[in-house]
Amino acid sequence: MFENALITGGSGMIGTNINFGIKPTSNEMNVTSLLSINKYISKMNSISCIIHLVAANLRQSDSNVISAIKLNIDGTTNMLNIAKSKNIPFVLISSGAVFSDEDKTQIFYETTETCPNSVYGHTKSSSEKISLLYDKTILIRTGWLFGGNQKLHIKFVESCINNLILNQCVKASNDFYGSPTYVIDLIDEMKNLITESKFGIHHIINDGKACGYD
């Protein structure tokens, strides 16, 4: 199942920690171009599932709305159509940004209605709705990930560690909460969902919650 998994966004934080599958670069396969996608997959013997990780992040989406729509919505639609044509599982990694952050302590469940208030959140919410039109979609929402490559994927936890090592001040909010989640735990649970064909919406986070100050 995993040896022939096609993984987009393989150079990102989650992708670099995945030790299986085929990870084309954006130059090898541009998810916003059907021509590029079809050219790449025509060289593959088989695809067992598609794990769609590539996306414009929060800052990128806010600075370039058109690009965010192309990558987050059109790119997802293109890869979903490939999965449907081959009748294979489609895994979409989404974000807590599909919910509003007005209530800093609210807990969100799989059944909670999405209510984004950012460009990034709106594009991810749209990609979710498109993906859920396919009955073999595994939609995973996560957030506050840590455990990436220190040189390439510096998140808040890594920034704190670096600042403490250098004996530098750490600035953090005390009114915004989330569930810090170890990227390897996310990947392990994702593999379980694929193996057991658990299609639908899943929230994958580590136990507990914390603010940046915690």
Side-chain angles (χ1 to χ4, degrees):
M1 169 61 77
F2 299 112
E3 181 180 349
N4 293 322
L6 177 60
I7 302 167
T8 68
S11 62
M13 183 177 181
I14 299 174
T16 53
N17 280 284
I18 293 178
N19 60 2
F20 59 84
I22 301 158
K23 307 175 189 178
T25 66
S26 58
N27 288 329
E28 293 173 323
M29 188 182 78
N30 179 356
V31 300
T32 66
S33 167
L34 282 174
L35 180 64
S36 175
I37 296 169
N38 289 326
K39 182 178 180 181
Y40 185 84
I41 65 174
S42 67
K43 303 173 184 177
M44 299 179 64
N45 293 326
S46 64
I47 305 174
S48 56
C49 67
I50 293 176
I51 300 175
H52 188 52
L53 304 175
V54 67
N57 62 31
L58 181 62
R59 293 182 179 85
Q60 291 169 338
S61 299
D62 285 341
S63 63
N64 192 330
V65 178
I66 300 301
S67 178
I69 291 172
K70 287 182 178 179
L71 194 58
N72 294 355
I73 300 177
D74 297 347
T76 299
T77 303
N78 289 340
M79 297 311 301
L80 177 71
N81 281 331
I82 298 298
K84 288 180 68 176
S85 68
K86 296 183 175 297
N87 195 31
I88 56 176
F90 180 75
V91 182
L92 174 67
I93 301 297
S94 191
S95 162
V98 299
F99 301 113
S100 170
D101 61 359
E102 291 180 0
D103 183 346
K104 306 297 184 183
T105 61
Q106 183 178 352
I107 297 175
F108 300 102
Y109 301 94
E110 284 87 346
T111 54
T112 304
E113 285 291 327
T114 58
C115 49
N117 58 3
S118 66
V119 171
Y120 173 67
H122 278 289
T123 59
K124 292 300 287 184
S125 178
S126 296
S127 70
E128 286 190 0
K129 289 179 172 63
I130 293 168
S131 298
L132 291 172
L133 295 173
Y134 179 44
D135 60 1
K136 289 188 177 180
T137 288
I138 298 173
L139 170 58
I140 296 173
R141 294 181 184 136
T142 189
W144 289 45
L145 291 176
F146 67 91
N149 183 311
Q150 281 277 8
K151 293 182 179 179
L152 300 176
H153 313 114
I154 299 178
K155 305 294 185 178
F156 182 71
V157 171
E158 283 78 21
S159 294
C160 288
I161 292 171
N162 291 338
N163 284 10
L164 291 169
I165 290 173
L166 297 172
N167 197 30
Q168 294 179 350
C169 177
V170 176
K171 296 182 179 180
S173 65
N174 61 0
D175 63 347
F176 188 74
Y177 289 82
S179 295
T181 301
Y182 184 39
V183 65
I184 300 301
D185 291 340
L186 168 69
I187 293 169
D188 287 343
E189 186 58 27
M190 178 183 69
K191 290 175 67 176
N192 290 335
L193 294 175
I194 296 171
T195 301
E196 298 173 14
S197 298
K198 289 191 174 181
F199 306 122
I201 303 173
H202 303 273
H203 288 187
I204 300 180
I205 53 173
N206 284 140
D207 288 339
K209 65 178 182 178
C211 65
Y213 183 79
D214 293 329

